[in-house]
Amino acid sequence: MVKTEEGVFLVITDVCGKGVSAALLASILQGMIYSQIVAKVPLAEIVGNSNRFLCEKAVGEKYATVMVGRLRPDGEFEFVNCGHVPPVLVSGNKAQRIEESNLPVGLLPDATYAPGRRKLIPGDRLVLVTDGVTEAENSAGDFFGDERLELAATASNGFDEIFNSVRSFCGDKPLNDDCTVVELTYRG
């Protein structure tokens, strides 16, 4: 998260692959996105610039899913989802998936990216996860999935409930991917 006079910025990425090359790509993306946020570059341009850079440099020939959003003090949430797991907006006791999405960064140099918007009211929560959460498997090979994520996210202790639900669902089966959860509550 990055806080500026324009609001709070959320960024979550998931790099294809593992190891040193994936870690380098994540680090490069973090620096590129942060520097553009503080330079007040529009969100769609931030991911477009990051995409072109990755495509031109062929950094380990990898790509990444990215979700970058800005929550303004008035509750306006602007976001660009680049192939990432759709965020969950929890309002009251209802969970809604924010489905607008674009291509991941690093795949096509001429890809264009369109932002989406939502108006949040005090008490609304945004929950962002990596696919390690929704694709966590139990011993039968079933995925944790979107429905279980939405149910866990609506709990009053959403963040902890998500991790507890994933652990309970997987049982003794070890996770095969990173599980990252970012939760932001809009207070108004």
mmCIF file of all heavy atoms in Angstrom, residues 48-84:
data_model
loop_
_atom_site.group_PDB
_atom_site.id
_atom_site.type_symbol
_atom_site.label_atom_id
_atom_site.label_comp_id
_atom_site.label_asym_id
_atom_site.label_seq_id
_atom_site.Cartn_x
_atom_site.Cartn_y
_atom_site.Cartn_z
ATOM 1 N N GLY A 48 0.162 -0.031 -18.411
ATOM 2 C CA GLY A 48 0.581 -0.028 -19.812
ATOM 3 C C GLY A 48 2.080 0.149 -19.947
ATOM 4 O O GLY A 48 2.738 -0.559 -20.726
ATOM 5 N N ASN A 49 2.644 1.077 -19.178
ATOM 6 C CA ASN A 49 4.097 1.286 -19.190
ATOM 7 C C ASN A 49 4.838 0.054 -18.683
ATOM 8 O O ASN A 49 5.859 -0.351 -19.251
ATOM 9 C CB ASN A 49 4.480 2.494 -18.326
ATOM 10 C CG ASN A 49 3.963 3.801 -18.887
ATOM 11 O OD1 ASN A 49 3.676 3.916 -20.077
ATOM 12 N ND2 ASN A 49 3.817 4.796 -18.023
ATOM 13 N N SER A 50 4.328 -0.538 -17.625
ATOM 14 C CA SER A 50 4.951 -1.746 -17.067
ATOM 15 C C SER A 50 4.890 -2.887 -18.076
ATOM 16 O O SER A 50 5.859 -3.638 -18.245
ATOM 17 C CB SER A 50 4.250 -2.153 -15.767
ATOM 18 O OG SER A 50 4.346 -1.128 -14.809
ATOM 19 N N ASN A 51 3.761 -3.017 -18.758
ATOM 20 C CA ASN A 51 3.606 -4.052 -19.771
ATOM 21 C C ASN A 51 4.618 -3.888 -20.899
ATOM 22 O O ASN A 51 5.296 -4.849 -21.280
ATOM 23 C CB ASN A 51 2.183 -4.027 -20.334
ATOM 24 C CG ASN A 51 1.995 -5.029 -21.446
ATOM 25 O OD1 ASN A 51 2.106 -6.232 -21.239
ATOM 26 N ND2 ASN A 51 1.746 -4.538 -22.645
ATOM 27 N N ARG A 52 4.712 -2.684 -21.438
ATOM 28 C CA ARG A 52 5.642 -2.449 -22.552
ATOM 29 C C ARG A 52 7.083 -2.725 -22.127
ATOM 30 O O ARG A 52 7.856 -3.337 -22.862
ATOM 31 C CB ARG A 52 5.494 -1.031 -23.090
ATOM 32 C CG ARG A 52 4.314 -0.873 -24.035
ATOM 33 C CD ARG A 52 4.263 0.493 -24.691
ATOM 34 N NE ARG A 52 4.088 1.569 -23.727
ATOM 35 C CZ ARG A 52 2.937 1.870 -23.121
ATOM 36 N NH1 ARG A 52 1.866 1.162 -23.384
ATOM 37 N NH2 ARG A 52 2.861 2.867 -22.272
ATOM 38 N N PHE A 53 7.450 -2.279 -20.939
ATOM 39 C CA PHE A 53 8.804 -2.511 -20.450
ATOM 40 C C PHE A 53 9.101 -4.013 -20.375
ATOM 41 O O PHE A 53 10.141 -4.469 -20.860
ATOM 42 C CB PHE A 53 9.003 -1.863 -19.072
ATOM 43 C CG PHE A 53 10.344 -2.158 -18.472
ATOM 44 C CD1 PHE A 53 11.459 -1.423 -18.847
ATOM 45 C CD2 PHE A 53 10.502 -3.180 -17.545
ATOM 46 C CE1 PHE A 53 12.704 -1.699 -18.306
ATOM 47 C CE2 PHE A 53 11.739 -3.459 -17.001
ATOM 48 C CZ PHE A 53 12.843 -2.717 -17.376
ATOM 49 N N LEU A 54 8.190 -4.772 -19.772
ATOM 50 C CA LEU A 54 8.416 -6.215 -19.638
ATOM 51 C C LEU A 54 8.469 -6.903 -20.993
ATOM 52 O O LEU A 54 9.291 -7.806 -21.202
ATOM 53 C CB LEU A 54 7.340 -6.850 -18.765
ATOM 54 C CG LEU A 54 7.356 -6.449 -17.299
ATOM 55 C CD1 LEU A 54 6.203 -7.113 -16.552
ATOM 56 C CD2 LEU A 54 8.673 -6.793 -16.639
ATOM 57 N N CYS A 55 7.618 -6.491 -21.915
ATOM 58 C CA CYS A 55 7.626 -7.101 -23.247
ATOM 59 C C CYS A 55 8.919 -6.774 -23.999
ATOM 60 O O CYS A 55 9.482 -7.640 -24.670
ATOM 61 C CB CYS A 55 6.418 -6.642 -24.055
ATOM 62 S SG CYS A 55 4.858 -7.366 -23.517
ATOM 63 N N GLU A 56 9.397 -5.541 -23.890
ATOM 64 C CA GLU A 56 10.619 -5.141 -24.597
ATOM 65 C C GLU A 56 11.864 -5.769 -23.998
ATOM 66 O O GLU A 56 12.781 -6.147 -24.717
ATOM 67 C CB GLU A 56 10.751 -3.614 -24.585
ATOM 68 C CG GLU A 56 9.753 -2.923 -25.471
ATOM 69 C CD GLU A 56 9.733 -1.409 -25.291
ATOM 70 O OE1 GLU A 56 10.640 -0.869 -24.626
ATOM 71 O OE2 GLU A 56 8.801 -0.777 -25.817
ATOM 72 N N LYS A 57 11.892 -5.874 -22.689
ATOM 73 C CA LYS A 57 13.083 -6.403 -22.017
ATOM 74 C C LYS A 57 13.071 -7.917 -21.911
ATOM 75 O O LYS A 57 14.096 -8.516 -21.627
ATOM 76 C CB LYS A 57 13.219 -5.803 -20.604
ATOM 77 C CG LYS A 57 13.389 -4.293 -20.599
ATOM 78 C CD LYS A 57 14.639 -3.890 -21.338
ATOM 79 C CE LYS A 57 14.791 -2.392 -21.325
ATOM 80 N NZ LYS A 57 15.839 -1.902 -22.187
ATOM 81 N N ALA A 58 11.899 -8.519 -22.103
ATOM 82 C CA ALA A 58 11.754 -9.983 -21.979
ATOM 83 C C ALA A 58 12.446 -10.475 -20.725
ATOM 84 O O ALA A 58 13.243 -11.389 -20.748
ATOM 85 C CB ALA A 58 12.284 -10.691 -23.223
ATOM 86 N N VAL A 59 12.106 -9.858 -19.599
ATOM 87 C CA VAL A 59 12.720 -10.183 -18.311
ATOM 88 C C VAL A 59 12.397 -11.628 -17.958
ATOM 89 O O VAL A 59 11.350 -11.920 -17.406
ATOM 90 C CB VAL A 59 12.224 -9.226 -17.199
ATOM 91 C CG1 VAL A 59 12.852 -9.569 -15.866
ATOM 92 C CG2 VAL A 59 12.525 -7.786 -17.572
ATOM 93 N N GLY A 60 13.298 -12.526 -18.285
ATOM 94 C CA GLY A 60 13.087 -13.942 -17.987
ATOM 95 C C GLY A 60 11.907 -14.529 -18.745
ATOM 96 O O GLY A 60 11.453 -15.600 -18.427
ATOM 97 N N GLU A 61 11.421 -13.815 -19.763
ATOM 98 C CA GLU A 61 10.263 -14.239 -20.539
ATOM 99 C C GLU A 61 9.120 -14.676 -19.631
ATOM 100 O O GLU A 61 8.535 -15.735 -19.797
ATOM 101 C CB GLU A 61 10.665 -15.317 -21.540
ATOM 102 C CG GLU A 61 11.683 -14.794 -22.533
ATOM 103 C CD GLU A 61 11.969 -15.765 -23.654
ATOM 104 O OE1 GLU A 61 11.269 -16.779 -23.770
ATOM 105 O OE2 GLU A 61 12.892 -15.482 -24.423
ATOM 106 N N LYS A 62 8.815 -13.809 -18.683
ATOM 107 C CA LYS A 62 7.743 -14.077 -17.735
ATOM 108 C C LYS A 62 6.693 -12.983 -17.834
ATOM 109 O O LYS A 62 6.923 -11.933 -18.405
ATOM 110 C CB LYS A 62 8.296 -14.121 -16.318
ATOM 111 C CG LYS A 62 9.247 -15.289 -16.090
ATOM 112 C CD LYS A 62 9.477 -15.505 -14.628
ATOM 113 C CE LYS A 62 10.395 -16.657 -14.388
ATOM 114 N NZ LYS A 62 9.760 -17.951 -14.554
ATOM 115 N N TYR A 63 5.558 -13.271 -17.259
ATOM 116 C CA TYR A 63 4.488 -12.291 -17.181
ATOM 117 C C TYR A 63 3.989 -12.249 -15.746
ATOM 118 O O TYR A 63 4.393 -13.057 -14.912
ATOM 119 C CB TYR A 63 3.355 -12.631 -18.151
ATOM 120 C CG TYR A 63 2.615 -13.891 -17.789
ATOM 121 C CD1 TYR A 63 1.487 -13.837 -16.978
ATOM 122 C CD2 TYR A 63 3.047 -15.142 -18.245
ATOM 123 C CE1 TYR A 63 0.810 -14.996 -16.627
ATOM 124 C CE2 TYR A 63 2.372 -16.291 -17.911
ATOM 125 C CZ TYR A 63 1.256 -16.209 -17.101
ATOM 126 O OH TYR A 63 0.589 -17.351 -16.755
ATOM 127 N N ALA A 64 3.100 -11.310 -15.476
ATOM 128 C CA ALA A 64 2.549 -11.190 -14.129
ATOM 129 C C ALA A 64 1.109 -10.714 -14.195
ATOM 130 O O ALA A 64 0.736 -9.963 -15.095
ATOM 131 C CB ALA A 64 3.373 -10.205 -13.298
ATOM 132 N N THR A 65 0.320 -11.172 -13.232
ATOM 133 C CA THR A 65 -0.990 -10.576 -13.032
ATOM 134 C C THR A 65 -0.781 -9.434 -12.047
ATOM 135 O O THR A 65 0.063 -9.506 -11.158
ATOM 136 C CB THR A 65 -2.012 -11.587 -12.484
ATOM 137 O OG1 THR A 65 -1.599 -12.041 -11.208
ATOM 138 C CG2 THR A 65 -2.170 -12.760 -13.448
ATOM 139 N N VAL A 66 -1.533 -8.361 -12.250
ATOM 140 C CA VAL A 66 -1.381 -7.171 -11.419
ATOM 141 C C VAL A 66 -2.761 -6.600 -11.144
ATOM 142 O O VAL A 66 -3.607 -6.553 -12.035
ATOM 143 C CB VAL A 66 -0.535 -6.087 -12.138
ATOM 144 C CG1 VAL A 66 -0.459 -4.810 -11.315
ATOM 145 C CG2 VAL A 66 0.855 -6.601 -12.473
ATOM 146 N N MET A 67 -2.958 -6.163 -9.924
ATOM 147 C CA MET A 67 -4.154 -5.406 -9.568
ATOM 148 C C MET A 67 -3.660 -4.151 -8.871
ATOM 149 O O MET A 67 -2.975 -4.230 -7.854
ATOM 150 C CB MET A 67 -5.035 -6.229 -8.636
ATOM 151 C CG MET A 67 -6.189 -5.479 -8.047
ATOM 152 S SD MET A 67 -7.466 -5.085 -9.244
ATOM 153 C CE MET A 67 -8.500 -4.098 -8.219
ATOM 154 N N VAL A 68 -3.941 -2.997 -9.466
ATOM 155 C CA VAL A 68 -3.550 -1.727 -8.858
ATOM 156 C C VAL A 68 -4.813 -0.883 -8.724
ATOM 157 O O VAL A 68 -5.629 -0.817 -9.648
ATOM 158 C CB VAL A 68 -2.439 -1.007 -9.671
ATOM 159 C CG1 VAL A 68 -2.877 -0.706 -11.080
ATOM 160 C CG2 VAL A 68 -1.977 0.267 -8.990
ATOM 161 N N GLY A 69 -4.988 -0.312 -7.540
ATOM 162 C CA GLY A 69 -6.180 0.488 -7.306
ATOM 163 C C GLY A 69 -5.880 1.680 -6.422
ATOM 164 O O GLY A 69 -4.914 1.672 -5.655
ATOM 165 N N ARG A 70 -6.737 2.692 -6.549
ATOM 166 C CA ARG A 70 -6.602 3.887 -5.707
ATOM 167 C C ARG A 70 -7.951 4.130 -5.045
ATOM 168 O O ARG A 70 -8.982 4.239 -5.711
ATOM 169 C CB ARG A 70 -6.229 5.111 -6.530
ATOM 170 C CG ARG A 70 -6.204 6.399 -5.692
ATOM 171 C CD ARG A 70 -5.920 7.650 -6.495
ATOM 172 N NE ARG A 70 -6.798 7.734 -7.646
ATOM 173 C CZ ARG A 70 -6.368 7.965 -8.890
ATOM 174 N NH1 ARG A 70 -5.086 8.143 -9.154
ATOM 175 N NH2 ARG A 70 -7.222 8.021 -9.888
ATOM 176 N N LEU A 71 -7.926 4.220 -3.722
ATOM 177 C CA LEU A 71 -9.121 4.545 -2.944
ATOM 178 C C LEU A 71 -8.988 5.984 -2.476
ATOM 179 O O LEU A 71 -8.110 6.311 -1.681
ATOM 180 C CB LEU A 71 -9.271 3.595 -1.754
ATOM 181 C CG LEU A 71 -10.472 3.841 -0.845
ATOM 182 C CD1 LEU A 71 -11.791 3.797 -1.618
ATOM 183 C CD2 LEU A 71 -10.480 2.837 0.299
ATOM 184 N N ARG A 72 -9.843 6.845 -3.016
ATOM 185 C CA ARG A 72 -9.824 8.269 -2.659
ATOM 186 C C ARG A 72 -10.554 8.487 -1.330
ATOM 187 O O ARG A 72 -11.397 7.664 -0.946
ATOM 188 C CB ARG A 72 -10.491 9.090 -3.753
ATOM 189 C CG ARG A 72 -9.760 9.065 -5.075
ATOM 190 C CD ARG A 72 -10.509 9.928 -6.091
ATOM 191 N NE ARG A 72 -10.011 9.737 -7.423
ATOM 192 C CZ ARG A 72 -9.085 10.506 -7.995
ATOM 193 N NH1 ARG A 72 -8.569 11.513 -7.333
ATOM 194 N NH2 ARG A 72 -8.683 10.265 -9.222
ATOM 195 N N PRO A 73 -10.267 9.595 -0.676
ATOM 196 C CA PRO A 73 -10.945 9.878 0.598
ATOM 197 C C PRO A 73 -12.474 9.906 0.502
ATOM 198 O O PRO A 73 -13.156 9.600 1.470
ATOM 199 C CB PRO A 73 -10.400 11.259 0.996
ATOM 200 C CG PRO A 73 -9.056 11.330 0.339
ATOM 201 C CD PRO A 73 -9.211 10.579 -0.968
ATOM 202 N N ASP A 74 -13.028 10.229 -0.683
ATOM 203 C CA ASP A 74 -14.490 10.284 -0.843
ATOM 204 C C ASP A 74 -15.110 8.916 -1.140
ATOM 205 O O ASP A 74 -16.319 8.814 -1.347
ATOM 206 C CB ASP A 74 -14.874 11.284 -1.929
ATOM 207 C CG ASP A 74 -14.425 10.863 -3.331
ATOM 208 O OD1 ASP A 74 -13.777 9.801 -3.484
ATOM 209 O OD2 ASP A 74 -14.720 11.608 -4.292
ATOM 210 N N GLY A 75 -14.306 7.854 -1.157
ATOM 211 C CA GLY A 75 -14.813 6.500 -1.392
ATOM 212 C C GLY A 75 -14.737 6.032 -2.826
ATOM 213 O O GLY A 75 -15.085 4.893 -3.131
ATOM 214 N N GLU A 76 -14.270 6.889 -3.731
ATOM 215 C CA GLU A 76 -14.120 6.487 -5.136
ATOM 216 C C GLU A 76 -12.943 5.516 -5.245
ATOM 217 O O GLU A 76 -11.818 5.853 -4.891
ATOM 218 C CB GLU A 76 -13.865 7.713 -6.017
ATOM 219 C CG GLU A 76 -13.630 7.391 -7.473
ATOM 220 C CD GLU A 76 -14.892 7.061 -8.252
ATOM 221 O OE1 GLU A 76 -15.996 7.413 -7.791
ATOM 222 O OE2 GLU A 76 -14.767 6.438 -9.309
ATOM 223 N N PHE A 77 -13.216 4.300 -5.718
ATOM 224 C CA PHE A 77 -12.172 3.294 -5.912
ATOM 225 C C PHE A 77 -11.991 3.096 -7.406
ATOM 226 O O PHE A 77 -12.900 2.630 -8.101
ATOM 227 C CB PHE A 77 -12.554 1.974 -5.240
ATOM 228 C CG PHE A 77 -11.529 0.891 -5.404
ATOM 229 C CD1 PHE A 77 -10.236 1.045 -4.929
ATOM 230 C CD2 PHE A 77 -11.862 -0.300 -6.035
ATOM 231 C CE1 PHE A 77 -9.291 0.039 -5.085
ATOM 232 C CE2 PHE A 77 -10.925 -1.317 -6.193
ATOM 233 C CZ PHE A 77 -9.638 -1.145 -5.713
ATOM 234 N N GLU A 78 -10.824 3.487 -7.911
ATOM 235 C CA GLU A 78 -10.471 3.277 -9.314
ATOM 236 C C GLU A 78 -9.423 2.170 -9.335
ATOM 237 O O GLU A 78 -8.511 2.149 -8.507
ATOM 238 C CB GLU A 78 -9.896 4.547 -9.933
ATOM 239 C CG GLU A 78 -9.492 4.355 -11.383
ATOM 240 C CD GLU A 78 -8.800 5.577 -11.976
ATOM 241 O OE1 GLU A 78 -8.426 6.485 -11.214
ATOM 242 O OE2 GLU A 78 -8.605 5.584 -13.195
ATOM 243 N N PHE A 79 -9.539 1.265 -10.296
ATOM 244 C CA PHE A 79 -8.640 0.118 -10.323
ATOM 245 C C PHE A 79 -8.389 -0.335 -11.751
ATOM 246 O O PHE A 79 -9.170 -0.059 -12.657
ATOM 247 C CB PHE A 79 -9.218 -1.041 -9.512
ATOM 248 C CG PHE A 79 -10.545 -1.522 -10.050
ATOM 249 C CD1 PHE A 79 -10.600 -2.556 -10.969
ATOM 250 C CD2 PHE A 79 -11.724 -0.914 -9.655
ATOM 251 C CE1 PHE A 79 -11.818 -2.978 -11.482
ATOM 252 C CE2 PHE A 79 -12.950 -1.334 -10.172
ATOM 253 C CZ PHE A 79 -12.988 -2.372 -11.080
ATOM 254 N N VAL A 80 -7.282 -1.030 -11.927
ATOM 255 C CA VAL A 80 -6.994 -1.724 -13.174
ATOM 256 C C VAL A 80 -6.569 -3.137 -12.790
ATOM 257 O O VAL A 80 -5.577 -3.321 -12.089
ATOM 258 C CB VAL A 80 -5.886 -1.034 -14.009
ATOM 259 C CG1 VAL A 80 -5.653 -1.796 -15.303
ATOM 260 C CG2 VAL A 80 -6.243 0.419 -14.303
ATOM 261 N N ASN A 81 -7.342 -4.102 -13.234
ATOM 262 C CA ASN A 81 -7.039 -5.501 -12.961
ATOM 263 C C ASN A 81 -6.457 -6.106 -14.229
ATOM 264 O O ASN A 81 -7.098 -6.119 -15.271
ATOM 265 C CB ASN A 81 -8.297 -6.256 -12.534
ATOM 266 C CG ASN A 81 -7.996 -7.681 -12.128
ATOM 267 O OD1 ASN A 81 -6.903 -8.199 -12.349
ATOM 268 N ND2 ASN A 81 -8.976 -8.329 -11.536
ATOM 269 N N CYS A 82 -5.239 -6.597 -14.109
ATOM 270 C CA CYS A 82 -4.530 -7.192 -15.245
ATOM 271 C C CYS A 82 -4.432 -8.701 -15.042
ATOM 272 O O CYS A 82 -3.393 -9.227 -14.642
ATOM 273 C CB CYS A 82 -3.142 -6.574 -15.378
ATOM 274 S SG CYS A 82 -3.156 -4.788 -15.505
ATOM 275 N N GLY A 83 -5.544 -9.385 -15.283
ATOM 276 C CA GLY A 83 -5.569 -10.834 -15.205
ATOM 277 C C GLY A 83 -5.488 -11.412 -13.814
ATOM 278 O O GLY A 83 -5.311 -12.619 -13.643
ATOM 279 N N HIS A 84 -5.626 -10.570 -12.796
ATOM 280 C CA HIS A 84 -5.503 -11.036 -11.415
ATOM 281 C C HIS A 84 -6.836 -11.601 -10.930
ATOM 282 O O HIS A 84 -7.882 -11.347 -11.524
ATOM 283 C CB HIS A 84 -5.046 -9.880 -10.519
ATOM 284 C CG HIS A 84 -4.430 -10.338 -9.249
ATOM 285 N ND1 HIS A 84 -3.152 -10.853 -9.201
ATOM 286 C CD2 HIS A 84 -4.908 -10.387 -7.999
ATOM 287 C CE1 HIS A 84 -2.881 -11.185 -7.952
ATOM 288 N NE2 HIS A 84 -3.936 -10.918 -7.215
#
